[in-house]
Amino acid sequence: MPEIEQATPSEIKSFQEEKLREVLHYVSAHSPYYRRLFKQHKINILDIQSLEDLTGIPTTTKDQLQRYNDDFLCVPKSKIIDFVTTSGTLGEPVTIGLTDKDLDRLAYNEAISFACAGIGESDILQLTTTMDRRFMAGLAYFLGVRKLGAGIIRVGAGIPELQWDTIFKFHPSYLIVVPSFLLKLIQYAHANGISLSDSGIKGAICIGEPLRNQDFSLNTLGANIKSHWDIDLYSTYASTEMSTAFTECIAQQGGHQHPELIIVEVLDENENPVPNGKEGELVITTLGVQAMPLIRFKTGDIITAHTDPCICGRNSLRLGPVLGRKKQMIKYKGTTLYPPAMHNALNDFTEVDSFVIEIYYNEIGTDEIRIKLATKKPSNDLLHRIKDHFRSKLRVTPGIEFRPIEEIQKLRLSKLGRKPISVIDLRN
């Protein structure tokens, strides 16, 4: 546990303000984009001395990152050791370059994140995500486990049979996994007479999908996993742009910020800070990044920050589960919805094998939702039960239709083939 994470809130703030001044001098000297931004808005970086002063700098959006991608680079391309891209879920993928120093930072980030979840040198982790396809996370996990001194088995995505063969051959203690894939492993185990209690798996570092409700209780997906397989579930949240993870500790009360790696703001629609415990958009400033540091980058993720002390001894800020993406917010029949809420409702039905949520404008220009489901036994009874459940949970009922599994799988296949897509926004 880094000492700064155990420091007092005021000490953490002072530490971050010093790091902020360092990164502002760095981008002012090396980033074409931020030099231009500071000049255009007549910003003197010497006036930015505190975290509160950050509001004097305009935010950076994903659109700007896409449009001026190369202008964010602070080093010659000859210094880039690794190139990765974002998933492109909300637009064209952004290229992120990493220097050798950035890879060291990435390894440090994941090492202390794994340690936050209680993983140590004696553990072996099974990696069930890809390390190729320009995917930062898979590489980050590998580098982090290596720095931690633990063991890792790079199995890759999918193939439950191979995953179970690896579990019994190498006896890993933790899985790095997308939560819904745990359900596929459970289904395969049940179908093939595999005892889950004999697996030796202690826990799972869960990525890409929310496990918890806003009060940190397990959501439907998390509860479903735990009801079959009694392992510890740890949520971790990150993005390619921030090169930093927020991972749960043993208290499982939100993902801890690493103050030496990232500054956090939570802003409302007018870019004003929200009160503690209120939802807003996560805005980050990276610290210690050499190739492509970002100042006040709007992630598009709607979250709630928590600053009360944690029983693990860390005093760093914690992030609650992601409510949704700002661009995917839906105003539907007077109700504000985010796709994760619909995911949770659909996860209550074991009959649903796969689904995709389409968001589009109807003929009068307002938001409309169409959910396409794949099930082995489509019926009017199932359709009515799902609609009633939506009315009960979310107060609205979107359009729902049964479609062949092959059609759903094709729709869920992302352009880069790195992770399945469950939401298709047709409004742009």
Side-chain angles (χ1 to χ4, degrees), residues 184-368:
K184 294 186 183 298
L185 293 180
I186 291 168
Q187 291 166 0
Y188 184 90
H190 289 333
N192 291 274
I194 295 173
S195 171
L196 293 166
S197 60
D198 292 338
S199 66
I201 299 295
K202 294 192 294 186
I205 305 298
C206 295
I207 63 172
E209 296 171 342
L211 276 175
R212 304 191 188 282
N213 299 309
Q214 292 302 306
D215 63 358
F216 301 116
S217 62
L218 289 172
N219 63 15
T220 301
L221 175 59
N224 195 0
I225 294 167
K226 284 284 284 186
S227 69
H228 294 284
W229 201 355
D230 189 19
I231 57 177
D232 291 325
L233 302 175
Y234 296 95
S235 291
T236 185
Y237 160 75
S239 72
T240 304
E241 296 93 342
M242 66 175 70
S243 298
T244 311
F246 295 78
T247 303
E248 289 184 330
C249 68
I250 54 172
Q252 299 177 337
Q253 296 288 300
H256 278 279
Q257 172 198 21
H258 301 311
E260 65 270 51
L261 299 180
I262 198 163
I263 293 171
V264 167
E265 300 174 78
V266 184
L267 306 181
D268 63 19
E269 290 187 354
N270 298 315
E271 298 194 350
N272 295 314
V274 301
N276 184 43
K278 298 296 183 182
E279 66 185 59
E281 183 176 5
L282 177 66
V283 176
I284 58 95
T285 295
T286 57
L287 301 173
V289 172
Q290 185 177 44
M292 216 163 166
L294 295 175
I295 309 297
R296 305 199 78 208
F297 174 71
K298 300 177 76 172
T299 64
D301 291 330
I302 306 300
I303 57 92
T304 300
H306 301 267
T307 58
D308 49 307
C310 184
I311 62 170
C312 73
R314 293 173 177 84
N315 291 317
S316 52
L317 171 148
R318 290 169 288 117
L319 297 185
V322 175
L323 281 159
R325 306 297 295 271
K326 186 175 181 180
K327 282 192 174 182
Q328 290 178 341
M329 185 185 79
I330 309 154
K331 292 294 290 185
Y332 187 63
K333 298 180 180 178
T335 298
T336 299
L337 291 177
Y338 290 102
M342 290 184 276
H343 292 178
N344 286 341
L346 291 167
N347 284 331
D348 282 333
F349 294 88
T350 57
E351 303 98 318
V352 175
D353 296 318
S354 189
F355 64 87
V356 67
I357 299 167
E358 292 182 340
I359 310 168
Y360 61 99
Y361 290 130
N362 58 26
E363 65 277 2
I364 60 172
T366 59
D367 292 345
E368 194 65 59

